[in-house]
Amino acid sequence: MSESVNRARRVLNEAPADLLLDRIAEVLAAGYHVTRVDLLQVDYRLAVLLPLVGDEPVTTPGHPAWRCFDHQTPTVADDTGYLPVSVRGERWGVLRVAPVPDDPAVLGELVEIATALAHEIAAVSAGTDVYRTARRNRRLTLAAEMQWEMLPGRSRIRPSFSLAGQLEPAYAVRGDSFDWSDDGTRVWLSTINGTGEGVAAAMLTSLATHALRNARRAGLSLADQAALADQAVYDLHRGGQHLAALLMELDLRSGQLTVVDAGSPRLVLLRDGKVQELPLEEQFPLGMFEATDYREQRFELSRDDRLFVVSDGVVDAVGRDVRYGETALDRFLSRTGPMEPLDAVRSLIGDLRAFVAGDLVDDAVVVCLDWTGPQD
């Protein structure tokens, strides 16, 4: 590793949270004679790259910045370099630097520095609003603010799996949400098809999500996680409010998928280019009745299987008085095989926006999970 990369890491570690870009610009100027440094962050809709300071947003799909973001590879156009700012599969955006020579060795070092910047942004974001504020090109509703703050991220990559999720309408989502966690041998994924309006819907989803996390972190089985969350919602609302959820646990060594369906969103399997809906045993939504006993189902995944979880806001989306429906959904999902999960999710949401000619009205959640097989 070159001295410039080492210096960049040290500088980033010591920089104030709000001055990461300024400090890294100084390092790039001294080590690489770079005179322009911009951080372009992807917005909540995955539709525009927004500069941290000044300049114009990047919206054109064929722009080099978008090619860098989509393919997660450095891109050079004229004398300007575009570098992925990503960490563990979570794509923050793109670092734009100029001038930069079209030299693979230099480009490789700059990619390492951009990755170090991504790590630092992830580390400091909980304590500053600088990066969150710059990622939005309109105001979030209060409910949406609550929902986005609760998410574990938008994408995750490990050797044995990769996954991604998206909420819509991104700036005004109310009750739909998702959550995940992994420990190297298993990955847990839950999706919630929320009910209600505004802050009330977000609060109900927050209660269920934190109850599920509490149960998961206590080492409870999937069925018991559902039961604990069910009881938490029932204790507060006595059956007056409830919400649908799908809980999954994937054994990353064997591919065994354990599922609890609590009135859930749709679970679709993409295998060898063919789409099929997994037959779930639909059980009571969380909080509908007191002391519900939940049952687990098990499925065996094959290497390179892909799972989609979609809420009813997807299939029920309406454009020109026509419902999107299961047929159009399955047809679109069958074409996503070559895409990375985040690109598949983004493409589906884009297709929905085109279908309804704008943002979705009803809440929708889409999550994509790939199992790439056991790793030695």
Side-chain angles (χ1 to χ4, degrees):
M1 187 178 298
S2 75
E3 178 54 36
S4 292
V5 174
N6 283 328
R7 181 166 179 260
R9 292 181 184 276
R10 290 195 301 270
V11 167
L12 285 169
N13 286 337
E14 297 169 0
D18 60 314
L19 296 179
L20 295 179
L21 191 63
D22 292 343
R23 295 293 186 265
I24 208 66
E26 294 169 2
V27 172
L28 295 180
Y32 301 94
H33 306 293
V34 167
T35 58
R36 179 184 181 184
V37 179
D38 302 307
L39 175 61
L40 304 172
Q41 296 185 105
V42 70
D43 85 315
Y44 287 81
R45 294 177 76 239
L46 291 170
V48 57
L49 291 168
L50 297 168
L52 184 64
V53 291
D55 216 338
E56 291 296 318
V58 178
T59 57
T60 308
H63 192 282
W66 273 118
R67 295 205 305 270
C68 172
F69 182 86
D70 290 338
H71 300 293
Q72 289 296 284
T73 55
T75 301
V76 177
D78 298 325
D79 65 346
T80 302
Y82 299 87
L83 317 166
V85 180
S86 306
V87 54
R88 302 182 187 276
E90 181 73 16
R91 304 185 196 178
W92 292 97
V94 172
L95 188 66
R96 177 168 54 192
V97 296
V100 58
D102 194 2
D103 181 333
V106 172
L107 212 54
E109 293 181 6
L110 293 174
V111 168
E112 289 188 57
I113 293 173
T115 300
L117 175 61
H119 278 273
E120 288 302 319
I121 292 174
V124 305
S125 286
T128 179
D129 290 335
V130 168
Y131 304 99
R132 284 187 178 89
T133 300
R135 285 175 50 216
R136 54 191 75 181
N137 64 355
R138 69 181 78 165
R139 183 176 178 178
L140 270 71
T141 64
L142 177 54
E145 189 84 50
M146 294 168 65
Q147 293 292 64
W148 283 103
E149 285 298 297
M150 194 165 49
L151 295 184
R154 192 149 47 185
S155 55
R156 181 90 165 95
I157 295 176
R158 291 197 64 165
S160 54
F161 77 90
S162 56
L163 59 81
Q166 176 68 6
L167 304 179
E168 285 292 321
Y171 287 87
V173 67
R174 298 173 292 273
D176 282 14
S177 189
F178 58 84
D179 192 31
W180 63 61
S181 178
D182 79 276
D183 66 0
T185 60
R186 293 169 295 175
V187 58
W188 293 267
L189 171 63
S190 62
T191 55
I192 290 177
N193 189 1
T195 58
E197 297 294 330
V199 172
M203 291 177 67
L204 182 62
T205 297
S206 177
L207 172 62
T209 299
H210 284 93
L212 289 171
R213 287 176 176 173
N214 179 255
R216 184 184 73 222
R217 292 164 183 169
L220 301 186
S221 68
L222 212 61
D224 288 341
Q225 291 175 34
L228 188 148
D230 170 71
Q231 195 63 45
V233 175
Y234 184 85
D235 285 347
L236 186 62
H237 297 289
R238 313 307 295 179
Q241 294 189 47
H242 47 78
L243 70 178
L246 180 66
L247 281 62
M248 296 188 289
E249 179 183 321
L250 175 60
D251 187 315
L252 296 171
R253 297 160 298 189
S254 67
Q256 184 178 81
L257 179 71
T258 304
V259 179
V260 171
D261 177 4
S264 74
R266 192 167 182 243
L267 179 59
V268 178
L269 171 67
L270 179 60
R271 175 180 290 170
D272 298 327
K274 297 180 180 179
V275 174
Q276 65 181 91
E277 184 169 358
L278 292 183
L280 300 180
E281 179 188 357
E282 187 172 338
Q283 302 170 70
F284 291 128
L286 302 179
M288 179 172 282
F289 300 107
E290 186 174 16
T292 302
D293 288 327
Y294 289 93
R295 297 173 298 279
E296 298 176 352
Q297 290 179 266
R298 289 177 175 80
F299 303 91
E300 299 298 328
L301 297 188
S302 299
R303 186 187 294 269
D304 296 325
D305 274 354
R306 166 167 286 180
L307 295 169
F308 280 98
V309 185
V310 294
S311 67
D312 56 12
V314 175
V315 292
D316 291 339
V318 175
R320 296 182 181 178
D321 298 323
V322 178
R323 181 171 171 267
Y324 191 74
E326 289 85 355
T327 301
L329 174 65
D330 291 352
R331 187 184 305 117
F332 189 89
L333 295 183
S334 68
R335 301 198 297 266
T336 67
M339 303 178 188
E340 293 294 324
L342 183 63
D343 300 320
V345 168
R346 181 173 162 224
S347 295
L348 174 56
I349 294 296
D351 192 60
L352 282 169
R353 290 194 193 116
F355 179 78
V356 302
D359 285 338
L360 275 66
V361 175
D362 294 328
D363 276 11
V365 60
V366 180
V367 177
C368 178
L369 169 63
D370 286 355
W371 182 57
T372 51
Q375 305 298 310
D376 297 329

